[in-house]
Amino acid sequence: MSKSKVKEVRRLESLKTYDIIDSPDEQSYDELTRLAATLCQMPVSFISFIDEDKQWFKSFYGLNIKQTPKEDSFCKFTISQNRDFLEVTDTFNDNRFINNPFVQQKESPIRYYFGMKLYDKKQNVLGTLCVVDFKPNSLSASRKQSMRYLANQVMNLLELRKSLQSLQHIKKSLEQKNKELKQFANQVSHDIKMPLANIVLTIDLLKAKYQENIDDTGKQYLDYLKSSGLKLSAYTERVLSYYAREEDAQNEMEIVDFNYLLEDIIDLLQINQPCEINIPEKNTEILTNKVLLEQILLNLLGNSLKYNDKSKIVIDINIKEDDFNYLITVTDNGMGIAKNKQKDVFKLFFTEEKPDRNGNKGTGIGLPTVQKLVKQLGGNVCLESEENKYTSVSFTLKKVIDNGI
């Protein structure tokens, strides 16, 4: 294939990516053609694009026409030459145009043509910005430069239009994925809740059928299992129902008893190792999204338990408040985080090389999730740590005005 054919193939491929041919009228382009005609003092101005077989006009000032056959196009000569514009001062004296139907027409034959190329970012010529007169004419150097500036603005509009279309495609794709995730959440909700319900039911059957064979300690264990199962079922329901709804975090507010929430979370964690968790002496009521706060604290407390190599785990939870924010801090006596890695721990999938208490490597999801959820609640997260000594994660929650809750 010759260089000229390769060039034309690339030009046409680029033109298709803009999806501009046969697109609806747009005021922004019409304003540019009107401006071009005014600046150059010409009766006609247009923006055109040339595909395989036709010249199509995105905007036309002074005439009402949408397309012409490619063989009748003036602009096909503009895009094929080396200069960035083509000027024909009198078509009657130019052999390329003397037989053109727009030159031969009896009423208002085209006598003057000026076309400026429209380049994409890779210097493919997509089309032209042109002015036309019905008498011989010429443009001054300053007006030619003005046409160049206007051609740049045409391409800026095209690039913006292309970007917006890309964003619309992404939005549509995300909406579809979101729909699929909601369906998945509903399925997961069913798949998790049913086994949990079966566990609770089995515990009740065991207590009823074998109560004479189970001592008081065994009954307490069964009660504990049932309570944990019910709490886990309720937590799962809250989390999945939150992600199944479209309302944002600010529309899902309720009064949360902070200490009671902590106690429920500690029960859910089912800690089976020496551990001391110190919660605030005074309970605080917070107007917030309970599901998000629960997930934040579960992640932080879970990390404090997993990444701890001490014989006894100690976790301190504190809450302070001012007129605008709550400040919640979770501090543990665990492994700590090396100073040179602390700035990376909120990056998704970033993990330290050292394994957790059980010899497992982390996923790098916990702290990024915490940061994301805190931001949804209008707050910020910060971390302090000293390797082999402690880690302290603090986050703020923006206070919300109580609208009758």
Side-chain angles (χ1 to χ4, degrees):
M1 188 181 293
S2 66
K3 288 184 178 180
S4 60
K5 287 184 177 181
V6 170
K7 188 176 181 180
E8 178 65 5
V9 168
R10 290 175 178 171
R11 186 189 76 80
L12 292 172
E13 287 177 347
S14 177
L15 179 60
K16 287 179 182 178
T17 66
Y18 288 86
D19 194 25
I20 193 69
I21 300 293
D22 297 324
S23 61
D25 294 343
E26 295 179 61
Q27 183 179 348
S28 298
Y29 297 89
D30 293 340
E31 289 174 351
L32 287 177
T33 51
R34 180 182 290 272
L35 183 58
T38 301
L39 284 172
C40 298
Q41 295 184 348
M42 297 284 176
V44 176
S45 175
F46 54 85
I47 298 168
S48 73
F49 299 95
I50 300 177
D51 63 12
E52 294 93 335
D53 54 14
K54 69 175 181 289
Q55 177 181 19
W56 182 82
F57 300 98
K58 175 62 178 173
S59 176
F60 212 134
Y61 174 78
L63 288 177
N64 185 17
I65 187 171
K66 288 304 294 183
Q67 66 182 51
T68 66
K70 187 175 182 179
E71 57 266 23
D72 295 337
S73 168
F74 281 57
C75 298
K76 70 178 182 180
F77 295 101
T78 305
I79 66 174
S80 63
Q81 65 166 11
N82 292 327
R83 296 184 70 183
D84 61 359
F85 68 86
L86 172 65
E87 184 177 37
V88 181
T89 56
D90 189 351
T91 58
F92 285 6
N93 297 327
D94 193 309
N95 291 331
R96 292 173 295 180
F97 303 102
I98 191 63
N99 295 318
N100 188 285
F102 294 102
V103 176
Q104 290 293 318
Q105 61 191 7
K106 292 182 179 180
E107 292 186 11
S108 303
I110 293 177
R111 297 291 300 275
Y112 174 78
Y113 168 86
F114 178 89
M116 182 68 70
K117 291 180 179 179
L118 301 174
Y119 292 98
D120 69 7
K121 293 179 179 179
K122 294 184 178 180
Q123 296 301 297
N124 294 301
V125 183
L126 305 182
T128 57
L129 170 65
C130 308
V131 289
V132 166
D133 203 350
F134 303 124
K135 65 180 186 299
N137 210 329
S138 64
L139 286 184
S140 65
S142 63
R143 284 177 174 166
K144 289 176 182 176
Q145 186 62 43
S146 295
M147 287 290 286
R148 186 174 285 108
Y149 294 150
L150 289 177
N152 291 339
Q153 294 309 308
V154 172
M155 285 310 305
N156 288 338
L157 282 175
L158 277 178
E159 293 293 344
L160 179 59
R161 184 178 183 277
K162 185 178 180 181
S163 297
L164 289 174
Q165 286 182 327
S166 177
L167 289 174
Q168 288 172 351
H169 290 317
I170 292 171
K171 180 184 177 183
K172 186 177 291 186
S173 176
L174 289 174
E175 287 174 348
Q176 178 61 31
K177 290 182 184 297
N178 187 47
K179 182 180 179 181
E180 293 171 359
L181 283 172
K182 288 180 180 179
Q183 294 172 346
F184 174 73
N186 290 331
Q187 184 63 45
V188 169
S189 176
H190 176 270
D191 292 347
I192 291 177
K193 285 161 61 180
M194 287 304 294
L196 285 173
N198 289 334
I199 290 172
V200 172
L201 180 60
T202 302
I203 291 170
D204 287 337
L205 289 172
L206 284 171
K207 289 176 66 178
K209 189 172 183 178
Y210 299 103
Q211 58 179 334
E212 295 180 358
N213 300 322
I214 302 173
D215 61 16
D216 290 341
T217 302
K219 291 176 181 178
Q220 287 178 357
Y221 284 140
L222 289 176
D223 288 339
Y224 178 74
L225 287 173
K226 180 178 179 179
S227 175
S228 296
L230 291 171
K231 287 180 179 179
L232 181 57
S233 179
Y235 172 71
T236 302
E237 177 67 24
R238 288 196 300 272
V239 172
L240 293 178
S241 64
Y242 170 77
Y243 284 110
R245 293 191 297 269
E246 295 183 355
E247 292 89 352
D248 63 24
Q250 300 301 321
N251 291 332
E252 295 291 319
M253 298 294 173
E254 60 182 291
I255 298 293
V256 177
D257 291 308
F258 186 64
N259 281 15
Y260 296 156
L261 178 64
L262 288 174
E263 290 170 359
D264 285 342
I265 291 171
I266 292 169
D267 285 344
L268 274 175
L269 290 169
Q270 297 188 25
I271 303 167
N272 57 4
Q273 50 207 332
C275 180
E276 175 185 328
I277 299 180
N278 300 308
I279 67 175
E281 292 183 4
K282 180 183 177 182
N283 184 39
T284 302
E285 291 187 342
I286 305 173
L287 178 60
T288 188
N289 184 301
K290 183 177 180 179
V291 174
L292 298 193
L293 180 57
E294 198 168 29
Q295 289 182 76
I296 292 166
L297 292 169
L298 266 173
N299 272 289
L300 294 180
L301 291 173
N303 281 349
S304 293
L305 292 170
K306 286 191 298 182
Y307 298 102
N308 198 305
D309 52 0
K310 306 302 188 295
S311 58
K312 181 180 180 181
I313 299 170
V314 178
I315 303 173
D316 294 313
I317 306 168
N318 292 293
I319 182 169
K320 299 178 181 179
E321 62 178 301
D322 57 27
D323 292 337
F324 305 102
N325 299 285
Y326 298 100
L327 174 65
I328 299 171
T329 304
V330 178
T331 304
D332 63 62
N333 65 336
M335 301 175 184
I337 301 170
K339 191 172 183 179
N340 63 342
K341 295 181 179 179
Q342 291 178 17
K343 66 181 186 322
D344 297 319
V345 295
F346 290 104
K347 294 179 180 178
L348 190 61
F349 303 127
F350 173 83
T351 60
E352 288 199 273
E353 295 178 0
K354 56 187 176 184
D356 64 20
R357 188 181 187 90
N358 299 314
N360 300 315
K361 189 176 180 181
T363 61
I365 296 175
L367 286 177
T369 298
V370 167
Q371 185 179 59
K372 178 182 178 181
L373 298 178
V374 169
K375 285 185 176 180
Q376 287 186 51
L377 295 174
N380 296 294
V381 185
C382 65
L383 177 144
E384 293 181 10
S385 186
E386 187 174 342
E387 200 167 10
N388 301 316
K389 290 188 176 182
Y390 77 95
T391 295
S392 181
V393 179
S394 298
F395 64 95
T396 57
L397 297 180
K398 186 177 181 181
K399 283 191 173 180
V400 181
I401 298 174
D402 187 346
N403 293 315
I405 296 179

